[in-house]
Amino acid sequence: MALASSNLAEAKAPRASDLEIVALNGMFDERDTLGVIRYALEELLPGEPLAVVSSFGADSAVLLHHIAQVDPHKEVLFLETGKHFAETLEYVETIKQRFGLTNIRFLEPDAADLKRFDPHGTLWDTDPDSCCHIRKTEPLKGALDQYAGWITGRRRHQTQERGVLPHFELTSDVRIKVNPLAYWTYEDVKAYKAEHDLPEHPLVQHGYRSIGCAPCTSATREGEDPRAGRWRGLNKAECGIHFDFNGQIASPAAKLENRTLFKSGRFIADPFHVWGEGDAPETSAYVHVPLAIWQENRDAFIAADHPIGLLIEPGDDFEAIAEDFDRFASIAVAFPKFTDGRGYSYARLLRERYGFTGELRATGDILTDQVPFLRRCGFDALTVTNEATKKALENDALAEVSVYLQPVGSRGEAPVGTRPFLRRADQ
Amino acid sequence: MYRYDEFDAAFVRQRTEQFADQVRRRISGELNEDQFRPLRLMNGLYLQLHAYMLRVAVPYGTLSSKQLRRLAEIARKYDRGYGHFTTRQNIQFNWPRLNDVPKILAELADVEMHAIQTSGNCIRNVTTDQFAGAAADEIIDPRPIAEIIRQWSSLHPEFTFLPRKFKIAITGAPQDRAAVKFHDIGLMAKTGPNGEIGWTVYVGGGLGRTPMVAKQIRDFVDHEHLLAYLEAILRVYNRYGRRDNKYKARIKILVHEAGIDTIRDQVEEEFAAMKDGILKLPQEELDRITAYFAAPAFKEVEQKTIDLPKLKITDPAFARFIERNTHPHFRDGYVSVTVSMKPIGGTPGDATDIQMEAIADLAEKYSFDELRVSHEQNLVLPHVALDDLRAVYEGLVDIDLAEGNTGLITDIISCPGLDYCALATARSIPIAKSISQKFSAPERQEQIGDLKIKISGCINACGHHHVGHIGILGLDRKGVENYQITVGGDASEDAAVGSILGAGIAGDDVPDAIEKLVDLYIEKRESADETFIAAFRRLGEAPFKEALYGTR
Ligand code: SF4
Ligand code: SF4
């Protein structure tokens, strides 16, 4: 293993220049998925193949179905971490049969690494970051080295920071990323699955929404969690590995009881960390960057183009960087003391004035009683350390006032619980 | 009067349950006192010297007979048989048990009352003119807008953790009976350029350690945009108000330090951004709320005037009552009656369960079921026909609350002071009582005329001593109570903060000191028509100082 990451950056420089790549966007009709794939596989870089990586998760079938139509013999990479659900492996087989895919390549962890770092197979429990590194990051790096880029299943509608996702991108490490499903909505996916009777991942019917390695995926059944959907706008946790392939590879997870990120009605693994020692604008990803650090290193961050977040402390003049807000996948607003309510105003400004649609999370000293206020001001994620608050959230025991006597601007709120004059259609 | 719709009812019920849960968590130890404090405070529950104190909101001072009866019942069942009306038009119970508080709140919810936001760093109960909707001099009844502000501010998600508490007062009459310039935001009705009615907005007033008269921030805002404008102010305050020092956290300090012009610019910028957003108040909604406050069905009255000179001979006490305790009503043949909760030698603002029930009966019979709490700690029957005045008076005589002393020297505002308050540095109620006794003779009070004495038991100034014509502030000097006297304060539209006359004096000497000031005034006044405060303005503080301390 041990491919230095600089190798990756220097890897195959695409033969096409930036401009040519960018110019490709617009060549294809938004929904011409097959056209995009065909072009990517056959014409874009003749003799320089692009990789297809799939997690064979809940959302993978649509892309694979298209790939199979263009070229059933195309190599499809699958990270066989050794920790998958049996159902996932079964699903790989089903897809293979049904779509007639002939070349699915399992990327396995380096045996020596496993022996050395994870002899008992329990590394996920003690150090999930390292486990992911051995089982995902390294094998993937090795495989991708042979490619000039890859085809992803990412969609604009999946998570908010992808709002402007094009068909063709040149990434910071000068690889080409092709996103044939960029314009697909969730409804499109559903309709397509139904129309073509695509097989579902067996665990979907058991309520799993995002499926990764077994130890790190927790079951959440549909309909079981009345709070789901309250944290609007977020489907699931982002992939925690640096590559950000298709958002479907499971994220590294902290031990369940250590999970502090509450989102979509449950505690999930937090892909983000707070900026600290060892972080650098060029290399760090999934980090909440303090405002001042962002301001000092803005160019470097933008050049690196990793998914990052912003950290706003009370008193920060965050509006000074308003034009950058949509660069952040997540904005964390700190509540160092729960009695300091400045963050509520910040949240409303971010949401209502600046139209920020990414993850907005409250971090710090949060009491259960504040959760409804936070949510109404536009927060859709919380990092909770207060034990009592954690317990209440886990047990769905928030005593809440569901009727509002005044509107705030969060989307979708006005019609439900507000005064008669405010019960008007959502704008 | 406003009536809850299903929304308000659900709101208060859920809030009550939420608080019951918080109390449960406190009792079980899940919450420690530090965590519980801000939560209980948001629900009006204080920890006082001897016990918890529960403060119940009387929205803009408006009560129905049924509600007052319920308050009486709670006083009897869960307290020691009395309640205390405050300078914020609220009522406090001084002895509830923590365990009982959820029950009390549930019983309050039955009659559309609650304790939400009567304390804590949030927007407090909005206060207004106690004669709102009745006064002859009113431009507009402020209660519909007060109700709309109440709704807007109730559990506002953005503004429940402000730097400090936030008080809004509103008056619809040019004669300011709501002390709007001593509130964080003061709203004063104004006729706009096209004859429409709107509001002049003042900001940054307050008493406490650093008394300040509010500054005008906007000359005119119409009903439609009022909520957006208020939200803009609150947002600027929430973002920029000081949080490093609780004594500098009120908006008055922000306005003072940043300057009104800066604050105005910031507010205007916010306002411009959200002016036409979701907070724009449609006329239909204003009409809908206003309909709740329609004037009662007045009856044709026989008596249009009262022959006061004659009464003064035949029944001087009743005549005094009429002269002092009635206020002109917009409807001929009607008056608003102030029930003075300041019987001679009594505790200002205290009412027993029996008194509350009797007053509720009078309101039901003679005032269309309506009652008001004034910020001067009195109760008001807003719509009483002259025909019924005697019956009301006699009803009050029966419960010893017929003192005709409204606005006189014995109509003293006093905070609870060392008798109840954990923050107090001196007693204030006993001082009020001793002054009241000293000037108990009605003739003497009448001779002195309008004179407002206000007493606080510490620099937090809950007794509004800064704006008393004579203000008394109880301090602690090396373990001895010591009272500082100020003169010349005024809470009305001619807002002014009183000046300190000199070194503090002993509690026992306070009544005599007041007498010296009063005697000086009587000696120097141009005629009996020149009030104490008018004379003070003409004379300046020097002669008063001299009267109190002699020449040096
Ligand atoms: S997801 Fe979990 S099991 Fe899979 S590689 Fe990462 S830490 Fe290991
Ligand atoms: S002025 Fe001081 S003593 Fe009086 S009630 Fe307020 S805090 Fe207590």
Side-chain angles (χ1 to χ4, degrees):
Chain A
M1 66 176 241
L3 275 169
S5 60
S6 60
N7 284 354
L8 192 68
E10 285 155 17
K12 312 281 183 208
R15 307 293 174 266
S17 75
D18 298 19
L19 248 182
E20 282 165 315
I21 295 288
V22 173
L24 289 175
N25 290 309
M27 248 180 69
F28 296 89
D29 187 275
E30 288 185 359
R31 301 305 167 92
D32 187 5
T33 306
L34 283 177
V36 172
I37 293 177
R38 201 167 281 129
Y39 186 84
L41 291 186
E42 292 164 8
E43 293 173 48
L44 184 55
L45 300 170
E48 288 275 346
L50 295 183
V52 175
V53 188
S54 180
S55 67
F56 289 86
D59 261 350
S60 302
V62 173
L63 182 69
L64 293 174
H65 191 247
H66 282 89
I67 298 283
Q69 289 173 57
V70 174
D71 178 7
H73 309 299
K74 171 70 191 159
E75 180 182 73
V76 175
L77 302 176
F78 170 63
L79 281 164
E80 167 45 322
T81 60
K83 292 283 165 194
H84 280 293
F85 288 103
E87 286 88 344
T88 302
L89 301 176
E90 184 190 308
Y91 188 51
V92 174
E93 202 50 41
T94 312
I95 295 259
K96 188 173 161 187
Q97 303 293 338
R98 280 279 302 276
F99 297 177
L101 291 168
T102 62
N103 192 9
I104 296 178
R105 182 169 147 212
F106 284 37
L107 302 176
E108 286 171 8
D110 184 275
D113 279 348
L114 281 186
K115 208 166 149 198
R116 186 164 158 220
F117 299 112
D118 193 8
H120 309 295
T122 51
L123 189 59
W124 61 271
D125 188 32
T126 50
D127 184 0
D129 281 338
S130 299
C131 182
C132 267
H133 189 80
I134 302 174
R135 295 177 188 273
K136 293 180 174 173
T137 311
E138 289 299 335
L140 199 51
K141 267 183 190 167
L144 284 178
D145 195 33
Q146 304 151 23
Y147 289 95
W150 59 87
I151 296 177
T152 83
R154 297 186 303 166
R155 290 183 280 115
R156 291 178 165 224
H157 297 272
Q158 260 167 342
T159 62
Q160 286 82 357
E161 87 268 22
R162 294 180 185 158
V164 290
L165 192 72
H167 276 147
F168 296 91
E169 296 176 274
L170 198 59
T171 70
S172 53
D173 61 359
V174 286
R175 286 162 184 270
I176 295 167
K177 265 199 238 181
V178 182
N179 311 303
L181 303 182
Y183 296 91
W184 284 55
T185 64
Y186 176 68
E187 281 69 38
D188 294 335
V189 171
K190 235 167 78 182
Y192 187 88
K193 279 181 175 171
E195 189 188 331
H196 297 275
D197 192 24
L198 301 188
E200 280 285 16
H201 192 295
L203 290 178
V204 168
Q205 68 183 48
H206 297 296
Y208 287 76
R209 292 177 217 160
S210 166
I211 303 158
C213 296
C216 300
T217 307
S218 66
T220 308
R221 286 163 203 271
E222 210 97 47
E224 181 182 73
D225 176 18
R227 206 162 290 280
R230 287 193 177 176
W231 304 99
R232 268 176 231 111
L234 274 131
N235 308 327
K236 56 187 185 295
E238 260 295 353
C239 165
I241 62 175
H242 287 210
F243 295 96
D244 185 26
F245 282 92
N246 52 14
Q248 296 172 351
I249 297 171
S251 49
K255 273 168 118 176
L256 246 138
E257 60 270 30
N258 292 338
R259 290 179 174 184
T260 55
L261 176 62
F262 186 78
K263 205 156 114 178
S264 303
R266 63 204 171 116
F267 280 95
I268 56 173
D270 188 353
F272 276 85
H273 65 278
V274 178
W275 185 263
E277 220 163 295
D279 275 309
E282 294 75 20
T283 51
S284 292
Y286 293 101
V287 56
H288 283 113
V289 181
L291 179 71
I293 302 222
W294 169 264
Q295 285 172 314
E296 279 161 34
N297 302 286
R298 183 173 181 272
D299 293 342
F301 278 115
I302 290 176
D305 195 26
H306 296 304
I308 54 167
L310 176 71
L311 175 68
I312 301 177
E313 300 272 0
D316 278 353
D317 180 18
F318 64 100
E319 288 171 284
I321 61 157
E323 74 277 16
D324 289 336
F325 289 156
D326 57 11
R327 293 181 188 275
F328 302 110
S330 166
I331 296 183
V333 178
F335 288 81
K337 280 193 301 208
F338 75 87
T339 45
D340 186 337
R342 279 177 277 191
Y344 296 94
S345 288
Y346 298 170
R348 290 195 62 195
L349 286 168
L350 284 165
R351 285 285 193 235
E352 297 166 36
R353 181 115 355 124
Y354 298 102
F356 179 69
T357 54
E359 174 188 278
L360 187 56
R361 69 160 79 170
T363 84
D365 186 14
I366 293 163
L367 300 186
T368 48
D369 314 86
Q370 294 181 286
V371 173
F373 295 140
L374 292 167
R375 184 173 50 72
R376 292 193 60 205
C377 285
F379 288 102
D380 56 11
L382 307 166
T383 32
V384 187
T385 45
N386 182 302
E387 274 310 316
T389 308
K390 269 187 90 168
K391 239 178 44 220
L393 285 168
E394 266 160 12
N395 303 333
D396 192 18
L398 290 185
E400 194 181 345
V401 179
S402 67
V403 172
Y404 316 133
L405 292 186
Q406 73 290 97
V408 292
S410 354
R411 237 162 37 82
E413 177 177 74
V416 259
T418 44
R419 305 306 309 171
F421 84 95
L422 294 158
R423 288 175 220 153
R424 54 186 146 187
D426 198 4
Q427 287 146 8
Chain B
M1 207 177 139
Y2 185 69
R3 296 254 172 272
Y4 278 14
D5 60 15
E6 79 271 26
F7 267 75
D8 303 282
F11 176 83
V12 170
R13 192 171 18 79
Q14 291 183 12
R15 184 70 178 104
T16 303
E17 284 162 13
Q18 189 183 37
F19 189 61
D21 177 60
Q22 290 163 352
V23 168
R24 182 193 56 69
R25 280 151 61 202
R26 175 68 189 111
I27 291 174
S28 78
E30 187 184 310
L31 294 175
N32 61 31
E33 183 53 29
D34 263 2
Q35 293 165 325
F36 185 53
R37 187 190 307 114
L39 303 176
R40 66 170 162 76
L41 285 180
M42 268 168 53
N43 238 320
L45 190 62
Y46 284 82
L47 198 52
Q48 293 289 63
L49 267 187
H50 316 289
Y52 279 106
M53 179 271 276
L54 180 68
R55 184 182 290 157
V56 176
V58 180
Y60 35 92
T62 310
L63 277 176
S64 68
S65 308
K66 186 173 158 200
Q67 290 173 324
L68 186 56
R69 278 195 199 102
R70 179 56 57 90
L71 293 174
E73 209 179 305
I74 288 170
R76 188 162 47 233
K77 241 160 88 182
Y78 300 108
D79 203 312
R80 299 190 174 172
Y82 64 94
H84 177 78
F85 290 98
T86 77
T87 55
R88 291 278 309 151
Q89 302 183 312
N90 292 321
I91 181 168
Q92 289 172 189
F93 294 108
N94 285 312
W95 308 94
R97 290 169 39 226
L98 181 56
N99 250 328
D100 287 335
V101 171
K103 279 184 270 177
I104 299 177
L105 292 177
E107 289 182 26
L108 287 170
D110 289 345
V111 294
E112 309 187 350
M113 296 188 81
H114 59 71
I116 298 169
Q117 289 177 210
T118 52
S119 54
N121 292 340
C122 50
I123 304 171
R124 302 289 189 84
N125 186 20
V126 45
T127 51
T128 187
D129 183 357
Q130 68 270 27
F131 300 125
D137 64 346
E138 198 162 80
I139 300 173
I140 183 175
D141 181 353
R143 291 173 302 163
I145 290 291
E147 169 60 24
I148 285 167
I149 294 175
R150 178 192 75 81
Q151 295 184 7
W152 161 76
S153 64
S154 292
L155 293 191
H156 194 301
E158 188 178 347
F159 305 131
T160 33
F161 295 92
L162 295 168
R164 200 79 177 82
K165 58 190 169 184
F166 202 92
K167 299 175 179 178
I168 301 177
I170 176 168
T171 175
Q175 197 195 334
D176 177 10
R177 289 174 289 261
V180 302
K181 287 183 190 160
F182 290 101
H183 284 77
D184 296 282
I185 291 179
L187 299 173
M188 210 166 198
K190 164 167 182 145
T191 308
N194 307 315
E196 79 280 26
I197 293 170
W199 306 95
T200 300
V201 185
Y202 296 89
V203 72
L207 298 169
R209 290 166 192 243
T210 333
M212 286 188 189
V213 179
K215 312 227 170 21
Q216 185 181 315
I217 186 164
R218 202 171 217 271
D219 180 50
F220 188 80
V221 58
D222 55 20
H223 300 316
E224 195 179 30
H225 295 103
L226 180 64
L227 288 184
Y229 195 75
L230 295 180
E231 189 144 307
I233 296 178
L234 263 298
R235 181 168 291 166
V236 167
Y237 171 55
N238 189 37
R239 292 189 62 183
Y240 303 114
R242 285 181 62 172
R243 289 175 189 266
D244 58 330
N245 179 340
K246 107 177 214 204
Y247 301 114
K248 303 207 160 157
R250 294 289 289 270
I251 196 175
K252 63 188 174 189
I253 304 292
L254 177 66
V255 170
H256 180 71
E257 288 180 352
I260 182 71
D261 295 328
T262 309
I263 299 301
R264 183 183 296 114
D265 290 348
Q266 286 173 333
V267 170
E268 286 295 329
E269 198 186 318
E270 268 301 321
F271 179 55
M274 59 191 180
K275 182 166 183 275
D276 293 310
I278 199 161
L279 279 176
K280 201 156 130 182
L281 185 68
Q283 186 61 39
E284 311 85 73
E285 175 67 1
L286 183 57
D287 293 345
R288 193 182 72 85
I289 299 286
T290 305
Y292 285 111
F293 297 95
F298 294 116
K299 54 184 184 186
E300 276 317 310
V301 292
E302 284 164 26
Q303 217 174 336
K304 300 281 187 189
T305 53
I306 284 180
D307 188 354
L308 256 186
K310 188 172 145 209
L311 257 189
K312 276 189 173 168
I313 297 158
T314 58
D315 191 347
F318 184 40
R320 258 196 312 277
F321 178 84
I322 295 176
E323 203 170 26
R324 295 309 311 188
N325 292 18
T326 64
H327 190 267
H329 200 284
F330 67 82
R331 172 88 179 193
D332 261 7
Y334 277 83
V335 287
S336 302
V337 171
T338 301
V339 179
S340 166
M341 306 306 286
K342 320 286 174 59
I344 298 301
T347 299
D350 270 6
T352 65
D353 53 340
I354 293 166
Q355 287 172 330
M356 286 191 255
E357 276 164 353
I359 296 169
D361 289 344
L362 291 173
E364 187 178 313
K365 265 208 198 115
Y366 303 115
S367 182
F368 301 93
D369 224 16
E370 271 193 50
L371 283 147
R372 307 291 170 72
V373 184
S374 81
H375 83 272
E376 273 142 348
Q377 301 178 287
N378 294 318
L379 290 177
V380 170
L381 304 172
H383 316 289
V384 176
L386 292 182
D387 295 346
D388 298 328
L389 209 46
R390 174 156 303 265
V392 168
Y393 173 70
E394 280 166 3
L396 292 173
V397 169
D398 289 345
I399 51 170
D400 296 327
L401 288 178
E403 199 68 39
N405 63 347
T406 305
L408 294 179
I409 189 168
T410 56
D411 182 7
I412 299 168
I413 290 188
S414 168
C415 81
L418 206 51
D419 293 292
Y420 297 100
C421 177
L423 304 172
T425 42
R427 294 167 307 150
S428 47
I429 291 172
I431 302 292
K433 287 180 174 173
S434 64
I435 297 172
S436 167
Q437 263 146 1
K438 174 147 201 114
F439 294 95
S440 60
E443 302 72 25
R444 176 73 163 139
Q445 295 182 45
E446 214 176 319
Q447 178 200 24
I448 302 166
D450 284 342
L451 176 54
K452 294 186 200 275
I453 295 184
K454 308 194 188 219
I455 310 174
S456 303
C458 81
I459 49 175
N460 287 319
C462 305
H464 301 175
H465 66 274
H466 297 296
V467 292
H469 298 159
I470 297 176
I472 300 167
L473 165 62
L475 296 168
D476 177 296
R477 283 281 131 77
K478 301 191 184 97
V480 181
E481 287 170 320
N482 182 279
Y483 294 85
Q484 207 170 62
I485 313 283
T486 59
V487 178
D490 191 345
S492 76
E493 62 281 7
D494 304 314
V497 170
S499 3
I500 300 168
L501 285 187
I505 57 176
D508 287 347
D509 299 337
V510 171
D512 285 341
I514 303 299
E515 180 145 58
K516 285 181 191 156
L517 298 173
V518 165
D519 286 342
L520 174 90
Y521 150 67
I522 291 179
E523 179 198 325
K524 301 277 182 184
R525 70 184 175 190
E526 287 178 325
S527 73
D529 289 339
E530 189 182 41
T531 59
F532 181 92
I533 186 71
F536 172 82
R537 291 210 180 101
R538 178 173 58 82
L539 296 165
E541 61 179 80
F544 290 90
K545 209 176 226 169
E546 202 184 307
L548 205 51
Y549 298 101
T551 36
R552 304 198 175 170

